[in-house]
Amino acid sequence: MCNVTIVDYSVYLPESRIHVKEAIQQIKADGIDFQTSESDYLNRGFELVPIEEELDLEQMIATVCRPILRRALQKNVQIAAVMFASVTNNENVNRNLFDFLIEEFALEAVPVIPLEEYACSTMHLSLWLASNYFMVPCQQGEGILFITADRAMNSYERSDTFMVFGDGASAALFMKGQREGQQTLASVMRVDGLVYDLAPDRIRLYYSTFYLGVRQAVRAALNESSIHIAQIELVFCTNLGLHVWSMLAQVLKVPLERFYNLTLALDGHIHNTDILNNIEHAIRTGLLKHDDFYMTISVGFGGYYGCAIHQYVKEVNELCI
C-alpha cells in the first residue's frame, strides 16, 4: 500500500482570462499550425484561458509555496526535498527560481530536484517518487514539497498543434502515512514513450491508442489499493476536454458525470496544476466529502500515464503529524 499523504496544498491561478477564440487567433497569427477548429475546441468544453500579466515565474512559485512552508514551520515539518516541474518553462528549471524561498525558510541544505520528460503526468511521477522515498526509514516529521508552475511567454509556449495552455502554479506537501489529509492508497505510472520526435505517424498512433495506457494504469492502481471502481466518487483528470473524458468513461466503465469538469470552461488546461486545481475546487464547493474515495488520472503527451487512488480524510490545510 502506498504510504504518501498530501497533508497540504496550494493553488494559484491568475485573475486575468482571455477567450479561447482570441487565444487561437493569436496562435495562428504567430504561425503555429493549430489543427483544432475554434468551434471544435469550444464543443470540447473549453472557454477561457488564464493569462498571467503581473507575476513572473519565481513570484508564482513563491505565492503557492509560502503558505505551505509557513504552516509546515509551525508544525515543525522538515522539508527533505523539493521536486519541481514546469512543462512550459523547463529551460528555466534551476535553483535561482527558489532563492527567495530558500533564504526566507532556511532551505539551503534542501535538494531541489527538477522533474522533466513526463509532461502533464509529472504530478503522478512526484507521488511515485515520494512513495519510494518514504519506503525507507526517514526522520519523523519529514516532508517532500512538489511544485509545478507554468507561464507562457509567447504563442509557442501557449499551445501545441491541438491544445491551448493556461498559466498557473500549484504545490503539494507529501508526508509519510498520515492519518489525516489526502491519503494516497495506490499510485501507478505507465510509460509507453510513443511520441518522442513529433513524427506525424507517431502522433496519430498516440491519439488513437493512449486510452489503452490509461486503462492499464487505472486497473493496476485499483488492484493495488483493493478499491473497486464503484467505490470511486469522483475522477480528477487532466483537463483535456469532454471528448477525452467521454472516451475514458466508456473504456473505464465509469459514468461520465463522475469526471470532475467544473474548472474546464473557466481554467482550461494548465499542465500539472489541473488535478490539484480540480481537487481544491471540489473541496471548496463541497462536492468532495470526508471519507470519499477518489481517483486522479494524468495524461502526458508522448505516452506517459499516471493514476492514483486517494481517500479524502480531513481538510488538508490543517497539518497533522
Side-chain angles (χ1 to χ4, degrees):
M1 182 173 289
C2 192
N3 54 6
V4 176
T5 304
I6 304 174
V7 296
D8 204 359
Y9 68 87
S10 178
V11 177
Y12 167 76
L13 300 184
E15 294 184 4
S16 177
R17 302 285 195 279
I18 62 172
H19 198 275
V20 293
K21 287 186 176 182
E22 180 182 348
I24 293 173
Q25 289 169 2
Q26 184 59 56
I27 288 165
K28 289 182 175 180
D30 289 339
I32 295 174
D33 182 22
F34 193 78
Q35 297 185 9
T36 305
S37 70
E38 294 177 7
S39 59
D40 283 345
Y41 206 71
L42 288 169
N43 289 336
R44 294 173 181 180
F46 296 100
E47 185 175 343
L48 302 177
V49 184
I51 305 292
E52 181 55 59
E53 297 179 334
E54 297 181 4
L55 305 184
D56 60 25
L57 194 66
E58 184 176 7
Q59 292 170 324
M60 292 169 65
I61 291 169
T63 298
V64 290
C65 289
R66 279 198 176 99
I68 296 176
L69 291 172
R70 286 169 180 163
R71 290 189 286 263
L73 189 61
Q74 292 171 358
K75 296 292 184 178
N76 295 318
V77 176
Q78 301 296 315
I79 305 300
V82 173
M83 295 187 288
F84 177 66
S86 182
V87 177
T88 304
N89 312 99
N90 59 3
E91 73 281 0
N92 293 320
V93 177
N94 58 63
R95 201 175 177 91
N96 294 336
L97 292 171
F98 306 93
D99 282 350
F100 290 147
L101 289 174
I102 288 170
E103 182 177 355
E104 181 177 349
F105 294 96
L107 302 176
E108 290 83 0
V110 176
V112 177
I113 306 167
L115 303 179
E116 300 181 28
E117 302 298 334
Y118 282 68
C120 299
S121 273
T122 310
M123 173 66 189
H124 282 98
L125 175 64
S126 72
L127 280 172
W128 185 83
L129 291 173
S131 177
N132 280 271
Y133 177 83
F134 291 136
M135 287 177 67
V136 300
C138 60
Q139 182 178 343
Q140 186 174 2
E142 280 190 346
I144 295 177
L145 183 63
F146 171 69
I147 309 164
T148 181
D150 292 275
R151 186 184 189 279
M153 301 300 293
N154 51 59
S155 290
Y156 293 92
E157 294 181 343
R158 178 69 62 204
S159 70
D160 59 20
T161 55
F162 301 98
M163 183 69 63
V164 178
F165 311 128
D167 299 330
S170 58
L173 181 60
F174 305 143
M175 293 186 69
K176 181 177 181 177
Q178 303 300 298
R179 286 184 284 181
E180 296 178 296
Q182 306 284 345
Q183 294 180 346
T184 304
L185 308 180
S187 183
V188 172
M189 287 296 306
R190 176 171 176 81
V191 179
D192 286 341
L194 291 173
V195 182
Y196 56 85
D197 56 6
L198 296 183
D201 58 335
R202 290 185 179 274
I203 293 176
R204 285 191 293 270
L205 177 63
Y206 169 74
Y207 278 104
S208 63
T209 62
F210 79 92
Y211 65 90
L212 298 174
V214 173
R215 183 171 63 183
Q216 290 179 341
V218 169
R219 287 177 174 175
L222 288 170
N223 182 64
E224 181 181 325
S225 65
S226 299
I227 298 294
H228 191 274
I229 191 70
Q231 296 175 263
I232 301 298
E233 297 292 338
L234 290 171
V235 179
F236 299 103
C237 189
T238 308
N239 280 7
L240 297 178
L242 298 175
H243 65 304
V244 171
W245 293 342
S246 179
M247 178 194 302
L248 291 178
Q250 293 178 19
V251 169
L252 301 176
K253 295 180 171 56
V254 176
L256 180 59
E257 56 267 24
R258 291 192 192 174
F259 279 75
Y260 196 81
N261 62 17
L262 296 185
T263 69
L264 183 61
L266 179 64
D267 302 331
H269 177 34
I270 316 175
H271 298 299
N272 287 288
T273 290
D274 282 351
I275 288 176
L276 283 175
N277 183 39
N278 281 323
I279 292 172
E280 192 277 335
H281 191 274
I283 291 174
R284 181 158 40 88
T285 57
L287 295 177
L288 183 63
K289 301 177 177 60
H290 296 304
D291 295 328
D292 281 353
F293 293 105
Y294 66 91
M295 179 187 298
T296 55
I297 298 173
S298 61
V299 180
F301 182 73
Y304 307 100
Y305 317 109
C307 178
I309 310 299
H310 312 260
Q311 186 175 24
Y312 173 47
V313 180
K314 183 180 173 65
E315 296 289 348
V316 293
N317 59 3
E318 294 180 20
L319 278 176
C320 180
I321 59 175

